Every structure is written in C-alpha cells, then in structure tokens.
Amino acid sequence: MPGGAAPNAHFAADVALGARLRSYRFDKYRTREKEGTPSRSSIKLAVATGDPASQRAEFARGAAVADAVFFTRDLVSEPANILYPGSFSERVRKRLSPLGVEVEIFGEAKLAKLGMGALLGVGQGSARETKLVVMQYKGAPKSKDKHPVAFVGKGVTFDTGGISIKPAAGMEDMKWDMAGAGAVTGLMAALAGRKAKVNAVGIIALVENMPDGNAQRPGDIVTSMSGQTIEVLNTDAEGRLALADALWYAATRFKPKAMVDLATLTGAVIIALGSEFAGLFANDDALAEQLLAAGKESGERLWRLPMTDAYDKQIDSDAADVKNISGDRGAGSTIGAVFLKRFVNDMKWAHLDIAGVAWSKKDKPTVPKGATAFGVRLLDRFVADNFET
C-alpha cells in the first residue's frame, strides 16, 4: 500500500456499498425516463475478493444502513404537498414499527398539555397539524445503564419563513427543511435494521411554517416546555423554537447519556463552511471529539465552531427570558446553537447544523444530486464506536 498504509480489511464490501449508495434515484413522479438514463436492472456490479464470506457479512451490515439512507433520501426528496407532519409521522410508524422500534405520535392536544408553546407557535399559521414523534429502539435490554443515547431532529416540512417571509427565489428548496428529522428517522431504521446492541431514542418535531392570518407574529412571546419565555423577533428563525421543546422533552423524559440534534438551522453555516462540512457545536469536548472521529471515518465531515458565554449574552431579551435571534447578522450559526443550549437541561449535548450538506446540487461519489441523507452514516458510526455493548 502507498506510504506503508495497512490494507482495508473490508475493501470489497466498501466498494459494493459505495456503488449501492451512488445508485439511488428519486424518480417516482416521472412518467417517462430521461433520454439516456439506464434502468436500474441493466447495471450489475461484481466485486472480486479472496474472503467472500466475511465481505458478504460486512456488506449485509452496510446494506441495512444503505436501506436507511435511501429511506431518508426519499423523505427529504418528497414535495411538501405529499410529506407534511401527519404523513411524515405515519411513514415513520409504517417503516419502524415492523423493525421493533416503539413509535409514539403526539398531536397538538398532547403537545399543548405538555406545554410545548414554542413548537406549537411555529405551526399556528398552517392547516397541517403539528406533530412530535418519539422513537425508542431497545437493542440492549439487559444493559445495566438505563440511560439511552438520544437524537433529536428538526422537521419543518415546509418553511415559507412565516410572517417574516422568505424571497420567492429558491423557496422551493424549503421542502428539505426537515432533513434533520429525516436523518434521525433513518438512523433509527439503521440501528434497528442491523440489530445494533444499543438503547437509542429518536425524537422529531414536525411542523409547517406558513403565513396565515393566525400565524405567529414578530414580537410575539411564547412559553416553552421548559418554562422559559421566548421573544420571537423573526418567524423565519423557527427551527430553534421547534427544537427547544423537543430537546427539553428528550432531556427530561429520557435523561440520555448523550444527546445530539440535527437541523438545517442557519444559512450562515453555508457561508462559513459551504457544502463540504456540517457545523458542530457541543457543550462537551469528549462528545465533540467522538463526533469528529465518526465524521472522518464515515466521510460525513464536521467542523467544530465556537459557542461561548459572550455569544449567549447576545440573545438576552428585554421582554422575555430569551429572544430567538441576536438582532445583528454576526455569527448566525453560533447564535442558533447558544439558543438551543438553553434548552438541553445540562445534558451532554451536541448540535449539528446541516444546512449546507443536506442537499447536493451536483453528483458526488456516493451521493447523487439531491437529498444526501447526511447524518445517517455519521451517527451510525458514532453509535457503533462509542455506545454499543
């Protein structure tokens, strides 16, 4: 090997898995094929190896993850008239329940009873009912440690910006503002599909942000599940409101040993990192290092960004406990992260801002143009390396 590097023990399986990941197509709404597009059945790949038995076993593990990646890509690719909070939650139940994952779906009456005023405020202007979905996978039932690892996803199934409405150009992309929730759902499918020996929880906040006469207004104050009040200065900073209640719920109900959220949270992270890295924020250095290592191993790369008290002070509100933006344009991704940090209830926590990596505008080696499912393979590796018994 060049430079004396050790050979990859799973090279053949990795080649086959890479080819499978690259083969994805979202074409369910096409009534005819594009000229020159080969059919899937016309392409076959054979990989030679001197150890077929072990490579097949390794590929089987990877295939379960690839299936979950495809499921996430399907979710993220769907248009918002097809995939909305209600239909999304039912797809979760249909896919995960047969795998042994316990799925709970909470509607608005339950959310109001829980006090999730931040999440409910985002969905006030939509005709679609807001949902919270809780997924529990108990792959290590005999473990003495009863605290699971938890994953929380932003699931804004369409984001107009609300009253703080976005420009028309590019708004169609906001169908994938639920990519964090898609990745969490795919991760749970991957863990269950490969029978990972871990106890894991996935929670996704599903909501549509629309500019109706009943929509949340800039200047409104809402009360989150944590009891903290939030002054909403910009209704287009809605993902952090939805996550505030979902994170608090995850922390207080499950008391996880670690908690990671994924969200297409800020355009600012695209300015900072482009489409090559997701932004990583964490309140624990060891957790950050574990995620960085998993990102390097999986190829879904992370870059750690700062999160200090100096930034946190910028979201103190004169009218409430906290405001949802700082009021200036600086450090937008960090401002979103320090906002979320107020709602993790001192749990070991990391935030992944995946706005720049959730959708690819060009073909990449294992990712065709479109939904990437960023986070599924990363977090599957993270779990395998750090939490499986």
Side-chain angles (χ1 to χ4, degrees):
M1 298 295 288
N8 180 355
H10 303 299
F11 178 76
D14 287 348
V15 169
L17 178 60
R20 177 146 186 216
L21 290 170
R22 183 63 178 82
S23 72
Y24 176 82
R25 284 162 56 191
F26 186 77
D27 55 9
K28 64 185 288 188
Y29 296 110
R30 292 181 189 167
T31 59
R32 56 185 179 274
E33 287 285 4
K34 290 183 178 179
E35 186 176 350
T37 302
S39 67
R40 298 186 194 194
S41 60
S42 69
I43 300 174
K44 297 185 183 299
L45 176 69
V47 182
T49 174
D51 187 11
S54 69
Q55 296 296 307
R56 285 195 192 98
E58 181 64 19
F59 179 74
R61 177 196 178 283
V65 179
D67 287 344
V69 166
F70 282 20
F71 179 46
T72 294
R73 290 178 181 172
D74 284 346
L75 290 171
V76 178
S77 300
E78 286 283 8
N81 62 317
I82 302 297
L83 195 81
Y84 47 87
S87 61
F88 192 148
S89 59
E90 288 306 318
R91 288 198 190 193
V92 174
R93 190 200 303 276
K94 183 177 179 180
R95 177 60 180 265
L96 295 188
S97 293
L99 295 175
V101 178
E102 298 175 17
V103 179
E104 300 171 89
I105 301 172
F106 301 158
E108 291 182 354
K110 175 69 171 180
L111 300 180
K113 188 174 181 180
L114 289 168
M116 293 192 178
L119 172 57
L120 288 170
V122 176
Q124 281 179 203
S126 175
R128 307 290 194 183
E129 184 179 10
T130 299
K131 304 283 187 179
L132 186 87
V133 181
V134 180
M135 299 162 272
Q136 294 186 66
Y137 170 67
K138 300 175 181 178
K142 297 181 180 180
S143 173
K144 294 180 180 179
D145 186 351
K146 300 303 180 185
H147 300 282
V149 57
F151 302 92
V152 180
K154 171 190 171 184
V156 179
T157 57
F158 196 78
D159 180 22
T160 66
I163 297 299
S164 306
I165 198 163
K166 295 176 181 291
M171 194 190 289
E172 69 277 6
D173 289 344
M174 290 300 96
K175 70 177 186 177
W176 50 260
D177 207 18
M178 40 58 67
V184 169
T185 304
L187 171 66
M188 298 301 290
L191 297 177
R194 66 176 183 81
K195 296 179 172 55
K197 297 185 185 305
V198 67
N199 296 324
V201 171
I203 296 177
I204 55 176
L206 304 178
V207 63
E208 192 176 58
N209 188 21
M210 300 292 283
D212 179 76
N214 193 49
Q216 187 166 252
R217 298 156 291 263
D220 283 2
I221 295 176
V222 296
T223 302
S224 68
M225 185 184 178
S226 71
Q228 297 175 80
T229 55
I230 304 168
E231 183 182 15
V232 181
L233 296 185
N234 188 318
T235 64
D236 194 25
E238 84 300 327
R240 64 199 68 183
L241 300 176
L243 285 173
D245 281 338
L247 285 166
W248 189 264
Y249 182 83
T252 53
R253 177 177 172 183
F254 295 104
K255 297 177 176 56
K257 63 184 73 178
M259 184 163 63
V260 180
D261 79 74
L262 296 88
T264 49
L265 203 73
T266 67
V269 81
I270 304 175
I271 302 301
L273 300 175
S275 60
E276 299 301 322
F277 289 78
L280 163 64
F281 302 85
N283 64 2
D284 183 89
D285 290 341
L287 177 60
E289 289 301 321
Q290 290 170 344
L291 286 162
L292 288 166
K296 185 177 182 179
E297 182 70 19
S298 66
E300 296 187 335
R301 296 178 296 177
L302 305 174
W303 193 270
R304 193 174 184 185
L305 293 167
M307 185 177 60
T308 65
D309 290 343
Y311 293 109
D312 182 76
K313 291 176 182 177
Q314 296 180 40
I315 56 172
D316 287 335
S317 168
D318 292 334
D321 296 324
V322 62
K323 53 190 179 184
N324 74 328
I325 60 171
S326 67
D328 64 44
R329 296 175 62 85
S333 298
T334 293
I335 294 300
V338 295
F339 178 92
L340 296 177
K341 184 174 181 288
R342 296 197 182 200
F343 299 90
V344 302
N345 202 19
D346 296 325
M347 294 290 115
K348 186 187 295 187
W349 157 81
H351 161 58
L352 307 185
D353 192 335
I354 63 171
V357 294
W359 190 271
S360 179
K361 294 184 178 180
K362 61 183 179 180
D363 288 332
K364 295 184 178 181
T366 59
V367 181
K369 184 169 67 173
T372 66
F374 185 100
V376 176
R377 292 191 299 123
L378 162 71
L379 295 177
D380 178 72
R381 185 78 265 158
F382 167 70
V383 169
D385 289 346
N386 301 287
F387 294 99
E388 288 195 50
T389 57

